[in-house]
Structures are given as C-alpha cells and as structure tokens.
Amino acid sequence: MTGFGTAAVHGDDGLVPGGAVAPPIVQSATFSAESDERFTEIATEARGSAFYTRYGNPNHAQVAAVVAALEGAETGLVTASGMGAISTVALALLAAGDHVVVQRSTYGGTTSLATGLLPRFGVDCTQVDQTDADAFARALRPETRLVLVETPSNPLLELTDLAAVVEVAHAAGALVVVDNTFATPVNQRPLAAGADLVWHSGTKFLGGHSDVSAGVVAGGAELIERVWRTSIVTGATLGPVDAWLLLRGLRTLSLRVERHNANALALAEALQGHPAVARVRHPGLPSHPQHELARRQMTGFGGVLGVELTAGRDGAAALLAGLRLAKRAASLGSVSTLVVHPRSMWAGIVDAEQLAATGIGAGLVRVSTGIEDTADLVADFLTALERVPT
Ligand SMILES: *Cc1c(COP(=O)(O)O)cnc(C)c1O
C-alpha cells in the first residue's frame, strides 16, 4: 500500500471523469440512459453511480474509494452522517432474535441505537467494560451477531484491545464493527487488526473543517454490498456537494492529523500536574492506564483529550468561560479547537440511567485540538486555568 498522503490524494484516480484535476460536483439526482437495455443495466447494477443518486453518485464513489484506500479496505460506502452509517449497518446485518455487544463508554448515539432503538425490533444488547477483553468474551452468546467497538472511546478516551476482541468475537461467529472516528486511519487501522467493518463520523476528522455532516463505512465487498442494499431503503443519502466537501477535506487528512496529534499530546503534557487539573485523559500519556496498548495498536494518539478539573462542575465551567481560541461546541476533529462539557451534552441524547452508567464525571471537559500553533493553544489553556478554582 502507498502512504496515507498518497492514498488520500490518489485513492480515487480513475473515478474522476475527463481531465479534471479536482473532481466536478455531479449535482444531479438522476441520470439518463440512451436505450431501454442501458436503463435496465444501470437500474440493476449494484453500487453503480449512473442511475439515481440515492443508489450512488460519482462524488460518493470517489470518497468511498479514498476512505477504502486509507483504511486498507476492499471498498466503502458514504452516508449522510455517522449515525446514518452505523444505523444502516445495524439494520443491514441484524434481525429479531439477534444479540449485540456494545461498550459502556461509546458515542451517545451508538448507546441509544444499541440500548434504545434495536431492542424495539427484538435485538437484545449487552453493555461491557471495553478495557476488559474478557468482558467481551463473557457477553458473547450463540446469537451474537455484532460486537460494536469504539477506541479510543468518546469522551473517556478508554481503549479496546482490537486484536483480543476480534479473536473472541470471531471464535463465537460474531462480526466486529469498529468506530474509528477518534483515531482516524492515520493513527489506527482496525481492519488490519481483523475487524470486519470500520465506520466513521465523516463530520469529524475526515471532513476536518466543521462544514459537512457525513458518514462512511469500509470493509469487504460482500458486507458493504449488504449495507448498500439497506442504504437504498433507509435513504441516508449524502448530497453530492457534501460528498465533494468530504473528499476535499480528506485530501489533507494526514497533514492535519500530524498537527492534531502533536497539539493534543503537547496540551496533555502541559495540563497534567496543574493544580486546577485532577487528571488528564490522553492515550499518549504514560499515565494513561492503557498506554502500553495504545503504543501497540496505534501509530499516533489522536487529537482528543479529556481534562478533569479539580473543582468539578465549577472548574469545568470556569475553564470553558476563560478560553479564547477554543470554541465551546459539540463535535470534534475540526481545524479549530473545540471544547465541550460532555455531561451536559450527553444528557440530550442518552437517558438519565444510561448517563449515570457511562462514568462521565461532572468535572470532565473534552478537548478536540485543532491545527492552531501548539504554543498558542497551550498558552490559551494555561491562561484560562489561572482563573479556575483548585
Ligand atoms: C460524532 C460521532 C458519531 C456520530 O456521527 P454524526 O456524523 O454526528 O452522525 C459517532 N461516533 C463518534 C465517535 C462520534 O464522535
């Protein structure tokens, strides 16, 4: 395989029509055929890009090819959001009577899908502590179809041992589906560790500029075709302009991730030990309880960190109020540093009982570092911390 920079720029070579260096936006909902025979062909072709945009569009195909190249996958699929990706995967691969295993610490939407929506369709779910590979083994049943993994997890930055979970899940006949949003393929490649499908919120690092909502799934051709057949029914179709924006963002992924990685590690090191800070969560810190695992399965530690303030909720509020560069906003993986108080945000998507079980403390602030200069970013936080109670 080529390097990530090359894959991001050339992964769609051959899928761009004419001599255009930047792909044209094919803003067309439908495509004409010159004959009856040709119409039947395009209407029945799996994953074609020449029939109807809900079935596929050239801009979708280009993004899918680049994501597949980055993840080392046979092929990929784009959706209108990250949740569009995982809900389509779930509806494609599950039926009543099946069982899924999901992490206790995982994106709130994934928790809601597994513990709220799927049970209404007769799919049972077990939540496990992701840091305990044996907990996955204990949760597996003969009817377990999917194991939903997220590492590092949102927002606690806990890790899952990918190789260990793949081994026990496959031995039990279950598929492993990994949310790689936090790490990005530049830092971690779940398919190489044996996972069956990898998905992302393309809204985050892949798009990278907070200007598009999108999702992607990548994996083997047979599984992706099953997901595609469901996607044309569920209809979470990405608009062509948004697919173009996602591709535009992907071109610079490896450059941006290098800076995100460097900024997050520098900030984590600068904040660790500050009297107003009780604990910094970042897989790149030797103080992270799973740092050894991070070194084994990641090539970089990602752009997100968790800062737990000594003064709890009041400390978190004071930090957020004092920051100048970092913006208080949901989402992550942006060129701009974004900070959020997860306990407040999660209350809107996860029910109270689930929220209590997540382990998200009232003093936790999630920081998604942008690509600002490291020194400016560290100075912004250290200045804000001067006014934070200890
Ligand atoms: C944001 C996010 C999602 C959901 O993606 P959307 O594009 O907002 O639907 C899923 N997983 C993780 C880890 C996320 O951060």
Side-chain angles (χ1 to χ4, degrees), residues 74-376:
E74 221 175 331
T75 187
L77 187 73
V78 293
T79 55
S81 67
M83 286 314 299
I86 188 60
S87 60
T88 306
V89 166
L91 290 170
L93 303 179
L94 295 168
D98 288 346
H99 172 247
V100 300
V101 176
V102 65
Q103 299 174 181
R104 197 163 288 126
S105 170
T106 192
Y107 178 68
T110 307
T111 303
S112 295
L113 173 72
T115 66
L117 193 142
L118 292 179
R120 284 172 33 211
F121 296 89
V123 174
D124 204 9
C125 146
T126 305
Q127 289 179 285
V128 296
D129 173 359
Q130 76 189 102
T131 65
D132 177 7
D134 292 338
F136 286 88
R138 285 194 301 274
L140 289 161
R141 303 179 194 162
E143 63 274 20
T144 308
R145 286 287 158 275
L146 299 183
V147 177
L148 303 181
V149 168
E150 183 182 317
T151 181
S153 64
N154 189 356
L156 294 176
L157 283 308
E158 291 181 337
L159 305 192
T160 311
D161 186 332
L162 289 171
V165 170
V166 163
E167 192 182 328
V168 293
H170 284 177
L175 298 175
V176 177
V177 177
V178 180
D179 183 342
N180 205 25
T181 300
F182 262 45
T184 83
V186 178
N187 289 325
Q188 173 175 281
R189 303 223 301 164
L191 299 178
D196 301 281
L197 288 174
V198 57
W199 67 284
H200 288 259
S201 168
T203 316
K204 314 293 170 58
F205 290 100
L206 301 193
H209 295 71
S210 299
D211 54 9
V212 64
S213 261
V216 300
V217 195
E222 198 195 329
L223 273 180
I224 293 293
E225 184 172 333
R226 283 170 67 187
V227 178
W228 172 78
R229 288 205 180 278
T230 299
S231 78
I232 61 178
V233 177
T234 52
T237 310
L238 189 65
V241 174
D242 286 348
W244 187 91
L245 279 168
L246 178 57
L247 184 63
R248 162 68 170 255
L250 276 165
R251 298 294 193 211
T252 56
L253 179 72
S254 67
L255 290 173
R256 286 184 288 106
V257 168
E258 266 178 46
R259 177 63 70 85
H260 288 297
N261 285 348
N263 276 352
L265 192 56
L267 196 58
E269 282 166 351
L271 300 187
Q272 180 170 250
H274 189 288
V277 174
R279 176 179 174 190
V280 177
R281 294 171 176 265
H282 183 65
L285 290 178
S287 61
H288 189 287
Q290 297 169 292
H291 181 61
E292 282 314 309
L293 173 61
R295 295 181 71 93
R296 226 182 318 130
Q297 73 182 15
M298 304 179 80
T299 48
F301 302 117
V304 186
L305 60 147
V307 183
E308 279 174 23
L309 284 306
T310 313
R313 179 74 178 93
D314 292 345
L319 174 62
L320 292 183
L323 292 167
R324 291 291 166 264
L325 291 178
K327 297 189 169 83
R328 184 196 324 231
S331 198
L332 51 102
S334 176
V335 288
S336 171
T337 296
L338 302 178
V339 287
V340 80
H341 184 244
R343 187 68 170 256
S344 309
M345 181 170 68
W346 250 241
I349 30 175
V350 179
D351 67 44
E353 195 189 326
Q354 284 292 338
L355 184 62
T358 57
I360 300 171
L364 178 70
V365 170
R366 185 188 71 194
V367 182
S368 171
T369 57
I371 60 166
E372 296 94 343
D373 292 286
T374 309
D376 294 333

Side-chain angles (χ1 to χ4, degrees), residues 9-29:
V9 176
H10 293 284
D12 59 335
D13 280 356
L15 294 174
V16 179
V21 172
I25 299 171
V26 182
Q27 186 64 24
S28 185

